[in-house]
Amino acid sequence: MSTFPAAPNDPFAAKFGTGMPTSPFRVGDGVDPPLLVGRNDHLAEAAEMVQLLTEHRQTPILSLHGPSGIGKTSLLQRIETEVTELGGVVARIDGRDDTSGYVGLADVHDRLRAGVPHPVEPVEDTIDGRYRAAAAVAAETKRPFVVMVDNLHVASELTDTLGSNHGIGGGLIFAGAHDHGRLSSMPTGIRSLEVGYLQPHDAKEAIAAPLAANGVDVDPDLLAACAARSGGLPLAVQAWGTQLWHSAHDGRGATADELQPHVDAQLGRHYSTIWMSLTDTERQYVDVLATP
């Protein structure tokens, strides 16, 4: 089972002086989950994209596609961090929300304008106008500029606008269930990267490393069983790691069978919030989870 090093009373309290600390597997707790294990090729491609933007040599387009829970959003977060650390700006847009494109581009444009000493020309109050204005100010201030569209599954007015204006500057990254190069109105030259399932050894590392870094030792056989049951889906890997973390504190399960209901419940809560955006295959997976 999962155990902490020997300590008096509650091991969390003994180590941290408080109750149970936040899980190292939850983004909401301010900690990036270990979903980037086994993503070296994707990170290398992203690093090249950032370099091209920094040197202002190209306006690259990247498509990250794969099923829900595969880790696309975590890759976007890593790329955004790299861009901002280089002084760049990122517009994060939700492809399921028609208004988020305008809001995201308006926010980026306002942030870029703060670094311009002279008055800026009036901006057309549309997605098209905001995108053009943001790209122009980014070029003037020589700052990398990236538009990231997550949860993009179908062509829309947003993709039409971004595709038709892409040549004016900045990078584009689309993340969704399908290869975005096949969508209508997409510009040529899209670099398409499928985000696939983790290999068994990567799934085990993604579970074990955060636990070990926080003083939790896991039985090797239990770790192997949990990694195997995750199927290499990073979201499921995250769920198994979270439940092992809780088990070390409250003893909710010493075997994979005992932890399985807690993992199913955690995944069920996630999928219930995004049901309308799932593909048919993903919905079949959820149906299996829900079957007694």
Side-chain angles (χ1 to χ4, degrees):
M1 63 178 294
S2 307
T3 59
F4 280 89
N9 303 318
D10 187 326
F12 286 98
K15 184 174 182 179
F16 297 97
T18 62
M20 182 177 177
T22 52
S23 164
F25 294 93
R26 292 184 55 198
V27 177
D29 293 331
V31 182
D32 287 336
L35 303 187
L36 300 185
V37 173
R39 302 299 191 217
N40 291 339
D41 292 344
H42 302 79
L43 294 175
E45 192 74 29
E48 182 179 350
M49 178 181 191
V50 173
Q51 182 179 2
L52 292 173
L53 288 169
T54 304
E55 297 174 354
H56 308 287
R57 291 191 287 118
Q58 291 185 25
T59 54
I61 315 174
L62 188 62
S63 168
L64 302 173
H65 56 97
S68 176
I70 205 69
K72 302 181 295 295
T73 300
S74 291
L75 284 167
L76 292 181
Q77 290 171 337
R78 172 65 69 84
I79 299 170
E80 180 175 5
T81 297
E82 294 182 2
V83 172
T84 53
E85 286 179 349
L86 292 170
V89 290
V90 175
R92 289 292 293 269
I93 297 172
D94 189 332
R96 300 167 297 185
D97 182 357
D98 292 338
T99 64
S100 69
Y102 170 81
V103 174
L105 290 167
D107 174 66
V108 163
H109 179 250
D110 290 343
R111 281 187 281 149
L112 286 166
R113 283 185 59 179
V116 178
H118 59 77
V120 179
E121 294 293 326
V123 177
E124 180 184 348
D125 201 18
T126 62
I127 292 179
D128 184 274
R130 288 291 181 179
Y131 182 52
R132 286 177 171 274
V137 180
E140 180 181 352
T141 57
K142 300 187 183 303
R143 298 177 67 183
F145 169 47
V146 180
V147 177
M148 295 182 175
V149 186
D150 201 0
N151 300 306
L152 180 64
H153 308 304
V154 296
S156 64
E157 180 182 354
L158 175 64
T159 59
D160 290 345
T161 298
L162 295 177
S164 61
N165 288 299
H166 173 250
I168 64 177
L172 289 176
I173 305 179
F174 300 112
H178 310 291
D179 183 352
H180 301 93
R182 299 178 181 177
L183 296 181
S184 61
S185 76
M186 283 291 99
T188 59
I190 292 182
R191 176 72 172 113
S192 180
L193 291 178
E194 181 177 6
V195 185
Y197 294 90
L198 297 176
Q199 296 296 315
H201 64 279
D202 288 326
K204 286 197 291 186
E205 180 184 351
I207 295 173
L211 294 173
N214 288 275
V216 178
D217 299 320
V218 182
D219 177 81
D221 291 337
L222 176 59
L223 174 62
C226 293
R229 293 195 183 197
S230 75
L233 178 70
L235 182 67
V237 168
Q238 185 180 8
W240 279 102
T242 299
Q243 296 310 318
L244 285 168
W245 171 262
H246 287 300
S247 175
H249 177 66
D250 59 21
R252 64 181 53 182
T255 69
D257 284 341
E258 292 172 344
L259 291 175
Q260 185 75 62
H262 300 285
V263 172
D264 292 346
Q266 181 175 334
L267 291 174
R269 287 191 295 271
H270 169 79
Y271 283 115
S272 66
T273 63
I274 62 169
W275 178 260
M276 294 305 296
S277 66
L278 298 181
T279 64
D280 290 341
T281 300
E282 291 164 351
R283 290 187 180 189
Q284 291 173 5
Y285 175 74
V286 176
D287 285 339
V288 171
L289 286 179
T291 301

